C-alpha cells in the first residue's frame, strides 16, 4: 500500500468516529437510575408471578383481609388434584351410636309430655301370665281404672345414644288394689307416631313386687326404685324395702348395670309368737281370789320389732293386780281385753311376763277360757303383718285352786 493510500484510510476512520460517537449518549446518573428501576420492576413482576403460581387464590384472599379490623378465618384445604375430570361427590359420615355428638340429621325427637302420651295409642310389652290389661295399640289412662293401663310417672333422656331424647314411662295394669307394673321406653318415628323401644323392668312374683319411681340420668341410664313387697292387703308401702337399680339399652334390650340385684329379708315382715300357762286363782286372806299367769313372747323374725302389744281377753271381773305389770304401758284393768303395750323386741329375743290377777270375793267367772293375743307394730304403732299368724293367738285356762 502506498503512503497516499494509508493517509486516505486514516482519514476515513477519523470521519467515522466523529459521526458515530456524536450520536451516542454518555450514561450519566439519570440513566443509571432509570436502568435500576426497570430491573427492579422486572424482578417484582417475576416474584409476584411466582407467588401467584404457588398460592393461587389464597394470596388474593389474605390481601383483602390485611386491614387492621380483619383477621384471617380458617383456610379451606386445597383439594387434591384428581385424574378424573368429574369430581366424586362425598357424603358426611354419620356419628356412631352411643357418642355424645349432636343429633344426627333425620333422627326424630322422642319426647312426649304426659298429655301427649295419654292422647296417642301405644303398644306395651306383654304383661306377665294371667289376667291382664290390653297391650296392642291401647291408650294409657290418667287414673286407676280397673283393667286399664295407668300412667303413673314419666321422664326423658337419650337412652340409646342417638343424640335425640326418648320418653320413659312407669305404667301399671290396674287389677283391684294391686296389679303388675312395668317401665317402658318410647320413641317417635319419622311420621311422629309413638313407637316402643322396649321394657326396662317389670314387677314379678318373686320380687320386685312394686315399682315406686323412675329417673333418667345424663348418660342414658334409667334408674328405677323397686320394692320387694307390694302395698295393699294390710301391707303399708313404707314397710317395703326399696332399692334404686340402673338399666341401660344394649341395642336390643335393657340390662341392669347398677344397684342391688336381690333383696334380703324384710325386717318389717314380722314373726312373733306367744305362749302362756294356765291362770290358777286361789283364795287370799281378804276372801278375794288371786293368781299368776306366765306369758312368753318371742320374736322369731330376722329384724327387731319396734313395739309389741299383748292382749289378754280375760273376763272383765278378772282385774290386773299390781305385780308383774310394771313393764306394760296403758293397762286398763277394767276394760276387756286387758292391753299390755311393750317396747322393742330384738330379733331372736324372748320376753317373759309373770302377770298377777285378782277376782273380788263372791264373783263367779262366766267362762274359764281367755284369748291371749300378741301383735307386732312398727315405730308409728301400726300393726305389722305376721308371716305366721297361727302362733300369735293362744288360749289361757282359768281355774280355781
Amino acid at each position: 500500500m502506498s503512503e497516499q493510500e494509508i493517509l486516505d484510510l486514516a482519514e476515513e476512520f477519523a470521519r467515522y468516529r466523529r459521526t458515530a460517537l456524536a450520536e451516542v449518549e454518555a450514561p450519566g446518573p439519570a440513566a443509571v437510575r432509570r436502568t435500576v428501576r426497570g430491573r427492579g420492576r422486572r424482578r417484582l413482576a417475576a416474584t409476584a408471578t411466582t407467588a401467584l403460581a404457588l398460592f393461587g387464590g389464597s394470596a388474593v384472599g389474605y390481601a383483602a383481609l390485611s386491614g387492621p379490623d380483619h383477621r384471617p378465618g380458617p383456610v379451606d384445604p386445597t383439594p387434591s388434584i384428581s385424574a378424573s375430570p368429574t369430581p366424586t361427590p362425598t357424603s358426611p359420615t354419620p356419628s356412631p351410636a352411643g357418642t355424645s355428638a349432636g343429633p344426627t340429621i333425620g333422627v326424630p325427637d322422642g319426647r312426649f309430655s304426659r298429655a301427649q302420651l295419654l292422647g296417642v295409642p301405644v303398644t306395651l310389652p306383654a304383661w306377665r301370665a294371667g289376667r291382664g290389661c290390653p297391650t296392642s295399640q291401647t291408650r294409657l289412662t290418667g287414673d286407676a281404672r280397673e283393667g286399664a293401663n295407668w300412667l303413673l310417672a314419666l321422664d326423658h333422656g337419650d337412652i340409646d345414644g342417638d343424640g335425640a331424647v326418648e320418653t320413659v314411662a312407669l305404667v301399671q295394669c290396674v287389677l283391684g288394689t294391686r296389679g303388675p307394673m312395668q317401665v317402658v321406653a318410647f320413641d317417635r318415628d319419622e311420621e311422629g307416631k309413638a313407637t316402643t323401644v322396649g321394657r326396662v323392668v317389670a314387677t314379678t312374683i318373686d320380687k320386685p313386687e312394686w315399682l315406686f319411681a323412675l329417673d333418667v340420668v345424663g348418660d342414658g341410664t334409667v334408674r328405677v326404685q323397686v320394692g320387694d313387697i307390694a302395698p295393699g292387703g294390710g301391707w303399708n308401702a313404707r314397710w317395703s324395702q326399696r332399692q334404686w337399680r340402673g338399666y341401660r339399652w344394649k341395642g336390643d334390650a335393657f340390662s341392669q348395670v347398677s344397684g342391688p340385684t336381690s333383696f334380703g329379708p324384710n325386717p318389717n315382715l314380722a314373726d312373733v309368737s306367744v305362749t302362756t300357762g294356765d291362770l290358777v286363782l286361789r283364795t287370799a286372806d281378804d276372801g278375794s281370789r288371786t293368781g299368776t299367769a306366765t306369758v312368753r313372747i318371742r320374736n322369731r323374725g330376722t329384724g327387731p320389732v319396734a313395739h309389741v302389744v299383748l292382749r289378754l281377753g280375760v273376763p272383765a271381773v278378772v282385774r290386773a293386780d299390781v305385780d308383774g305389770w310394771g313393764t306394760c304401758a296403758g293397762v286398763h284393768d277394767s276394760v276387756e281385753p286387758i292391753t299390755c303395750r311393750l317396747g322393742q323386741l330384738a330379733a331372736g329375743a324372748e320376753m317373759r311376763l309373770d302377770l298377777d290377777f285378782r277376782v273380788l270375793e263372791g264373783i263367779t267367772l262366766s267362762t274359764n277360757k281367755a284369748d291371749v293375743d300378741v301383735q307386732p307394730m312398727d315405730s308409728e304403732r301400726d300393726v305389722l303383718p305376721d308371716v305366721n299368724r297361727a302362733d300369735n293367738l293362744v288360749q289361757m285356762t282359768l281355774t280355781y285352786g
Side-chain angles (χ1 to χ4, degrees):
M1 182 180 293
S2 67
E3 180 179 358
Q4 184 58 46
E5 290 174 339
I6 294 173
L7 292 174
D8 291 339
L9 182 61
E11 179 62 27
E12 287 295 331
F13 274 110
R15 187 168 54 250
Y16 172 77
R17 286 195 299 270
R18 287 193 301 269
T19 302
L21 294 177
E23 296 177 2
V24 177
E25 180 182 1
V32 172
R33 286 194 295 270
R34 285 195 299 271
T35 301
V36 172
R37 282 197 297 270
R39 292 174 180 174
R41 282 195 294 271
R42 286 192 295 272
R43 285 196 299 269
L44 179 59
T47 303
T49 302
T50 304
L52 289 173
L54 291 174
F55 300 105
S58 298
V60 178
Y62 281 125
L65 297 174
S66 61
D69 295 332
H70 300 84
R71 292 183 175 87
V75 180
D76 295 331
T78 303
S80 60
I81 299 175
S82 174
S84 173
T86 304
T88 302
T90 60
S91 59
T93 303
S95 300
T99 66
S100 58
T104 304
I105 297 175
V107 176
D109 184 5
R111 177 188 292 271
F112 290 90
S113 68
R114 179 179 176 83
Q116 289 173 332
L117 198 58
L118 290 174
V120 297
V122 296
T123 296
L124 299 175
W127 295 105
R128 67 187 186 213
R131 185 168 63 96
C133 297
T135 57
S136 178
Q137 290 298 293
T138 181
R139 299 235 177 186
L140 304 179
T141 63
D143 52 17
R145 303 176 193 174
E146 181 71 17
N149 297 307
W150 183 14
L151 176 60
L152 297 172
L154 78 164
D155 200 3
H156 306 90
D158 182 7
I159 60 173
D160 55 8
D162 65 354
V165 173
E166 288 79 38
T167 301
V168 183
L170 171 57
V171 183
Q172 181 184 16
C173 172
V174 181
L175 300 174
T177 59
R178 297 191 180 184
M181 310 170 78
Q182 59 179 322
V183 173
V184 183
F186 297 102
D187 204 348
R188 193 191 304 269
D189 63 16
E190 295 179 355
E191 297 179 356
K193 297 180 180 179
T195 61
T196 304
V197 178
R199 177 195 292 124
V200 179
V201 64
T203 55
T204 67
I205 298 176
D206 297 329
K207 298 180 181 54
E209 294 183 3
W210 203 255
L211 307 178
F212 287 100
L214 66 87
D215 176 34
V216 182
V217 297
D219 64 353
T221 299
V222 181
R223 299 174 66 245
V224 182
Q225 189 183 49
V226 301
D228 60 343
I229 300 176
W235 181 264
N236 195 306
R238 69 172 182 270
W239 299 335
S240 299
Q241 293 184 106
R242 304 188 184 195
Q243 299 173 350
W244 281 100
R245 300 181 181 180
Y247 302 85
R248 291 293 301 272
W249 177 249
K250 299 298 184 179
D252 56 356
F254 284 90
S255 298
Q256 185 176 350
V257 296
S258 63
T261 58
S262 61
F263 290 96
N266 191 309
N268 294 312
L269 199 57
D271 185 9
V272 297
S273 63
V274 62
T275 59
T276 183
D278 294 338
L279 174 58
V280 180
L281 298 170
R282 294 180 173 86
T283 303
D285 294 340
D286 60 359
S288 63
R289 295 173 183 264
T290 62
T292 302
T294 299
V295 178
R296 287 182 172 86
I297 302 171
R298 185 177 180 183
N299 182 2
R300 301 178 182 271
T302 58
V305 176
H307 299 281
V308 176
V309 175
L310 176 67
R311 296 184 300 182
L312 301 107
V314 295
V317 295
V318 180
R319 300 180 178 180
D321 212 349
V322 177
D323 295 337
W325 297 88
T327 57
C328 298
V331 176
H332 299 282
D333 61 356
S334 60
V335 177
E336 184 182 359
I338 299 176
T339 301
C340 172
R341 301 185 183 277
L342 303 165
Q344 186 182 71
L345 186 60
E350 183 179 275
M351 183 182 298
R352 171 174 170 161
L353 301 174
D354 294 319
L355 305 176
D356 290 346
F357 295 88
R358 180 184 296 272
V359 178
L360 297 178
E361 184 179 5
I363 299 296
T364 302
L365 298 176
S366 58
T367 179
N368 65 341
K369 298 292 183 179
D371 290 337
V372 178
D373 175 70
V374 66
Q375 290 183 334
M377 291 186 171
D378 66 6
S379 59
E380 298 185 20
R381 297 188 182 278
D382 287 331
V383 177
L384 291 168
D386 197 293
V387 297
N388 186 15
R389 284 291 301 170
D391 59 8
N392 292 135
L393 176 66
V394 294
Q395 279 196 327
M396 174 191 296
T397 301
L398 289 71
T399 62
Y400 289 121

